[in-house]
C-alpha cells in the first residue's frame, strides 16, 4: 500500500477513536473497517493476521462495554426495566441532541425510570449516579479497545 494510503487508514482510525468518545460515529466499526481495507489492499498473511487480531480486540472491547457496566448496574440494584428505559431514551437522545444525546438520554431515562419506581429524588439519584459511572466506564473500555487495535495495526504497518 502506498504511504498516502496508510495515512488515510491512520486518519480513519483516529476519527474512529474520537467516535468512541463522542458517540457520533461508530468508532469500533470505523477502526476495524479501515484496518480490514488496509489488509485487503496490502495482502499477505501478516496483514490478515493483523486485521483479525485488531478486529478480535474490537469485538472483545465491544462485548466488555456491554457486560461490565451492565453487571455493575445490576449489582447496584438497578432493574433491567430501568436500563431498557435508559436505552430507549438514549437512542432517542442520539437523534435529538447531536454528539451528547446518547449518554444524556440514557442517564435521563435511568433517572426518570427510577424516579417513577422509587419514592423520591434521594432514592433515585444513586441509581442515576451508577448509570453515569457505567456510561463513563463503557466509553473508557471502547476507547482502550480502539486505541489498542490502532496500535497493533500501526506497529505492523510501520514494520512492513
Amino acid at each position: 500500500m502506498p504511504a498516502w494510503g496508510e495515512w488515510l487508514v491512520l486518519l480513519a482510525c483516529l476519527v474512529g477513536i474520537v467516535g468512541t468518545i463522542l458517540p457520533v460515529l461508530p468508532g469500533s466499526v470505523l477502526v476495524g473497517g479501515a484496518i480490514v481495507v488496509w489488509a485487503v489492499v496490502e495482502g499477505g498473511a501478516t496483514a490478515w493476521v493483523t486485521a483479525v487480531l485488531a478486529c478480535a480486540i474490537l469485538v472483545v472491547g465491544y462485548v466488555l462495554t456491554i457486560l461490565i457496566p451492565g453487571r455493575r448496574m445490576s449489582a447496584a440494584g438497578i432493574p433491567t426495566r430501568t436500563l431498557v428505559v435508559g436505552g430507549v431514551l438514549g437512542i432517542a437522545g442520539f437523534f435529538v441532541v447531536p454528539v451528547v444525546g446518547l449518554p444524556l438520554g440514557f442517564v435521563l431515562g435511568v433517572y426518570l425510570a427510577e424516579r417513577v419506581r422509587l419514592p423520591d429524588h434521594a432514592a433515585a439519584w444513586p441509581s442515576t449516579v451508577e448509570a453515569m459511572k457505567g456510561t463513563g466506564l463503557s466509553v473508557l473500555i471502547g476507547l482502550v479497545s480502539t486505541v489498542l487495535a490502532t496500535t497493533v495495526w500501526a506497529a505492523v504497518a510501520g514494520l512492513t
Side-chain angles (χ1 to χ4, degrees):
M1 171 174 265
W4 61 267
E6 289 181 348
W7 282 105
L8 286 176
V9 172
L10 178 61
L11 179 63
C13 287
L14 293 176
V15 169
I17 290 169
V18 170
T20 61
I21 300 167
L22 302 172
V24 176
L25 300 168
S28 296
V29 173
L30 189 56
V31 170
I35 294 171
V36 167
V37 167
W38 170 81
V40 168
V41 172
E42 188 72 22
T46 303
W48 282 107
V49 168
T50 302
V52 167
L53 179 60
C55 288
I57 290 169
L58 294 171
V59 167
V60 168
Y62 180 74
V63 169
L64 292 178
T65 63
I66 295 168
L67 289 181
I68 292 175
R71 283 190 182 167
R72 280 188 56 158
M73 287 187 247
S74 292
I78 302 173
T80 304
R81 187 186 101 241
T82 297
L83 297 177
V84 170
V85 170
V88 168
L89 281 181
I91 292 169
F94 176 78
F95 294 105
V96 174
V97 181
V99 181
V100 295
L102 181 65
L104 286 177
F106 176 74
V107 171
L108 178 65
V110 168
Y111 176 76
L112 292 175
E114 288 295 275
R115 189 66 180 89
V116 167
R117 183 176 77 91
L118 299 170
D120 59 5
H121 168 76
W125 186 245
S127 298
T128 306
V129 169
E130 196 60 40
M132 287 189 281
K133 288 179 184 177
T135 301
L137 183 59
S138 180
V139 168
L140 182 63
I141 293 168
L143 176 65
V144 168
S145 68
T146 55
V147 168
L148 207 67
T150 300
T151 302
V152 166
W153 167 80
V156 172
L159 293 174
T160 57

